[in-house]
Every structure is written in C-alpha cells, then in structure tokens.
Amino acid sequence: MDDLPPSPAQAPRSLLTDPVFVRALRERDFTTVFAMAHDAGISFNRIAEACALKSDRVSQIARGTASVTALATVERIAGGLRIPGALLGLAAQPWEDTAAHSTESHHGEDDPMKRRNLLRGALAAGLTAPALAALTAARTDVDQTLSPDTPQDLADLEAAAESYGYGYHGQQPTRVLADLVGDFTALRPLLTVPQPAPVRARLCRTAGQMAGMTAIVLHDLGSRRESRAWFATAARAAAESGDDQLHAWVLAREAMVPLNYGAPKAAAGLAERARHVAGHRPTTAATLAAAVAARAYALNHQSEQARAALEAADALMDRLPEGERSDTWLTYGEQKHHVHLSHAFTTLGETRLAHVSQERALELSAPTSTMTRTLLNIDAAACSHHDGDTEQACRRAVDALTALPVDFRTGLVRRRALDLYEAIPAQHHRERAVRELRDVVAG
C-alpha cells in the first residue's frame, strides 16, 4: 500500500489516546472533536481545508450550532484528521497502518491465535485508542456478515426531514433550499445498496418528503419547471415507499404550482388525483387536496364545484387527528386551512368570509412566517378591490410588498400581486396608486 502524505490537520497521537477525544469519536460528537483539535493547535481553517468543509461550518460544528450526520462527511473528517476508521465505526481508511490499529497483520490475518494474542496485548494497557480500535475491528468483521441493519444515517436524515417541515422560520428560501438539497444527496449512497424492504421503504419515504419540500421552495421562488421536476422525483419515491398518503400529499402540493401560476384547470386535475389517492379518511393529504381543489375550481370560475370542495375540506378538517394538525409543510394545521380558505373565498368574491379566514390565519401565523403573512395581506387587498376600493387595494398590496425583504419578493408573492394588478380595469392604470403597485411588482 502506498503511503499518503500527512494531512495538514493530522490529529496528534496525544489526542488519539485521550479518553475524552476517543469517546467523542465513538459517539461522533464532532463538536468535541473539532474543539479539542483546535485546542491542540489545529486551526479551523486547516480542519476545513483538510476535510473539504467550509470554515464557517467547522466553526459552527465546534460551537455546537451545527452537526454532522452524512456518512460521506464523517469519512472526509476521518481522512482529513487521519483518524483511524475503527474509532468512528468506519472501515479501515486507505492511509491506515492496519497493523497498528487492528488485530490483523499483513502476514497472519487469518491466524485465530495471533488475533487473540494481539487483542490481549492491546487490552493489557486498558481501553486505549489502539485497544478500542481492535475491539471495533473485531465487531465489524462479524457485523458486516450479518443481515443489513438500519443505516446509521437514516434516523438522522428522517429527523432532518421533520425539521425542514417547519418551513423557513425567517430564513432566506435560497438558504433553506441549499441545506435541503445537501441532505437530500446524502440519501443516494443509502439507496444504491441493497436494503431490507422496511429500511428501503423508510429511505424512499424520506426521499419523497425531502424532494417534495425542495419542490415547495422552488415553487415559492418562482422556478416552476424545476419545481415540477422535483415533485416528479418526490412522487416516484413516495410510490416506491408504499405510503399512499405521502403520494397524495406530493400530488396536492404539486397542484399548487399550476394553481398559483395561471393553469387552474391543470391544478384541479392534479388535486382530484390527490383526493382519489388519499381516500376518504381525514388525513393531511385528503384535507389539503380538497382545499387546493376548491381554490382551483374558484380560479376556473366553477363556483359550484369550488363550494363543494370547500365543504369537503371543512368536514375533513373537523375530523383531522390532533397529530396531523401541527403547523408544518408535512401536516395540515388550522393556520394552513385558513390560508387556503382566504384565497378560495377571495377568488369567489365572498369577501366577508375571506376576511374572517385572513384574520384567523394572521392570528395563528408566527412573526417569522414572512411569505404567508404577505400572501394573506395581498388577499385582503384583492378583497378591497372586489368591494370597490381599488386605491386602498393597491396601497395595501404595496405596503405588504415593500415590507418584505428583497429575497422574499420573488416568485409566488410577485405572481399574486401581479394577479391583483391585472384584475384592475385598464382605465385605472394611470391612477397613482395603481402605478405604484405596477412599479413595485416590476421592481
């Protein structure tokens, strides 16, 4: 085996024999690992360079404000700091001198007695780093011959998908998008190897959730084609997982792309597919699909079908289990229900009911729900126009848009404001308030 040059951030031997450092490695506590490496004289920039990480992420990990879950990242850290793979529960790394870190030797690796003597010798000094490495090697030798178990990263990725479901929380959509796609790619190595059927189903379910949420962010940013492509991937993953409710959720969320970008007939078709897949039980997917169908029918001037879908959505919402009522992208809470009702009633011209839903949705929306609150205010502006006060409508929409950070003033928000402007008769387009709305939308 060719020797590799030393890493610029190679952990000193004193660290590899420090019980605290060894325990942190065993538990993959990289906050402690990076902090101790820094205390030993290895700068965060050197760690970042050696491990192919951004320096600010290394600092965040050392402070405990970021974590490492992806197996590929763990392997890069092992290589960058020259940490024996066994200490991190990994296979031996290409650069390792396996004679020093395992019970095997190049000349007698199949000799059981030699293995036993080497292990006894390593343990004679206590649970040192070489001894722990030898124990791990002995375990993994057998463990790798057993039936595949749940990959270590799967639980972390499932937890990540759940956390992304809580939405933007005031973060820029592009930042959320970058993090989401980064974790989504960590699923690939797990999906490319054979897994037991239940594990494969969990992997596909997580992939479906993450792809669907990526599509949501792309939709909000106005990238319709990319959004639809990610929804297609999400639908394939959901179908392979066998989770009909996830599949229906993906279809219902996908229906919101044509719904919000000028193709209500296509939106109604997707929403009805989602309702069929979801069935008649009160679930997140079934309730969402009915609400989206109502909005699509309202935009398509099919008021009778819209009201029937609204009635169905209300009935499902009344029976929705408490566990599915939280305010996330993957569930369907009261706030989300009123956001959909606000748009449906606004489109139908039922401004009194629209105002009730707008007020309730705003009351339930967190201050960090920047985009949702803006859309509700634009709905309220559209109601003012419907009730005959076009000047007030324009001023409310302009106030809502100008209060929005520039990074949020794109995609869906711009499209909804443009819908209001285009609904104003041409003879009013020279009025000051209408011109201001046009200029803000154009800017």
Side-chain angles (χ1 to χ4, degrees), residues 99-272:
H101 296 295
S102 83
T103 60
E104 298 176 355
S105 74
H106 294 300
H107 304 292
E109 60 185 18
D110 294 324
D111 184 343
M113 184 56 70
K114 191 160 190 174
R115 281 173 174 259
R116 187 185 300 272
N117 289 336
L118 284 170
L119 182 57
R120 284 173 177 168
L123 288 169
L127 290 178
T128 62
L132 289 170
L135 290 172
T136 300
R139 175 181 57 77
T140 55
D141 279 350
V142 175
D143 190 51
Q144 289 170 0
T145 69
L146 301 174
S147 297
D149 198 356
T150 303
Q152 290 181 336
D153 283 352
L154 177 53
D156 290 338
L157 290 167
E158 288 175 325
E162 180 183 354
S163 68
Y164 286 123
Y166 286 94
Y168 298 115
H169 275 290
Q171 298 181 83
Q172 296 176 2
T174 49
R175 179 172 180 174
V176 174
L177 181 63
D179 290 343
L180 246 175
V181 175
D183 279 330
F184 178 80
T185 58
L187 286 162
R188 186 182 185 280
L190 303 180
L191 287 163
T192 55
V193 298
Q195 303 283 2
V199 173
R200 178 77 181 180
R202 286 173 61 187
L203 284 167
C204 289
R205 186 172 189 274
T206 304
Q209 290 175 331
M210 285 193 173
M213 289 186 285
T214 299
I216 289 171
V217 180
L218 288 165
H219 158 267
D220 290 349
L221 290 170
S223 184
R224 286 170 281 177
R225 180 175 296 179
E226 282 299 312
S227 179
R228 292 292 295 271
W230 278 86
F231 273 126
T233 297
R236 287 177 58 196
E240 186 173 339
S241 77
D243 188 335
D244 287 342
Q245 292 303 315
L246 176 60
H247 192 188
W249 174 84
V250 170
L251 291 171
R253 294 295 317 212
E254 183 182 0
M256 293 170 67
V257 180
L259 172 75
N260 288 316
Y261 291 102
K265 185 175 180 181
L270 277 168
E272 288 299 343

